[in-house]
C-alpha cells in the first residue's frame, strides 16, 4: 500500500486528518511563533473571530476562524514555533 509507505517516511510530519462531520483544519499561513491562543476546545466561534495570534517576521498575525463553528482540537501551545501550513486548530 503506497499510502502507508508515505506515512512512515521519517521526514514527513503527520498532519491531522479532517474529522468526520465537516471539520476543517486552520493552518499556519506562514512560519512563526504562537503568542496567544484565544479559544479552547468546545468554544463556539464566528467567522472572523481571532483564534490565535502568532508572531512572524517581527509582526503579529491574527489567525481567524474561516467559518462559524466549534473548536474540535487545538494542535499548538503558546511559545511553539510552527511551519507553513502546519495545522493549528480543527474547526467543525
Amino acid at each position: 500500500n503506497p499510502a502507508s509507505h508515505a506515512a512512515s517516511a521519517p521526514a514527513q510530519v503527520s498532519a491531522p486528518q479532517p474529522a468526520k462531520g465537516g471539520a476543517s483544519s486552520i493552518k499556519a499561513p506562514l512560519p512563526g511563533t504562537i503568542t496567544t491562543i484565544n479559544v479552547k476546545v468546545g468554544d463556539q466561534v464566528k467567522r472572523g473571530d481571532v483564534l490565535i495570534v502568532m508572531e512572524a517576521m517581527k509582526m503579529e498575525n491574527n489567525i481567524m476562524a474561516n467559518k462559524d463553528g466549534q473548536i474540535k482540537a487545538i494542535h499548538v501551545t503558546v511559545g511553539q514555533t510552527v511551519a507553513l501550513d502546519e495545522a493549528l486548530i480543527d474547526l467543525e
Side-chain angles (χ1 to χ4, degrees), residues 20-59:
K20 291 187 189 100
S24 61
S25 289
I26 296 174
K27 299 184 178 186
L30 63 176
T33 303
I34 305 301
T35 57
T36 309
I37 299 174
N38 294 328
V39 293
K40 59 189 184 305
V41 173
D43 283 0
Q44 292 290 335
V45 297
K46 297 278 185 208
R47 179 186 177 99
D49 285 357
V50 176
L51 307 180
I52 289 180
V53 179
M54 62 185 281
E55 184 179 301
M57 301 182 294
K58 307 232 184 278
M59 292 177 55

Side-chain angles (χ1 to χ4, degrees), residues 4-26:
S4 63
H5 227 38
S8 63
Q12 182 162 340
V13 177
S14 71
Q17 295 303 312
K20 291 187 189 100
S24 61
S25 289
I26 296 174

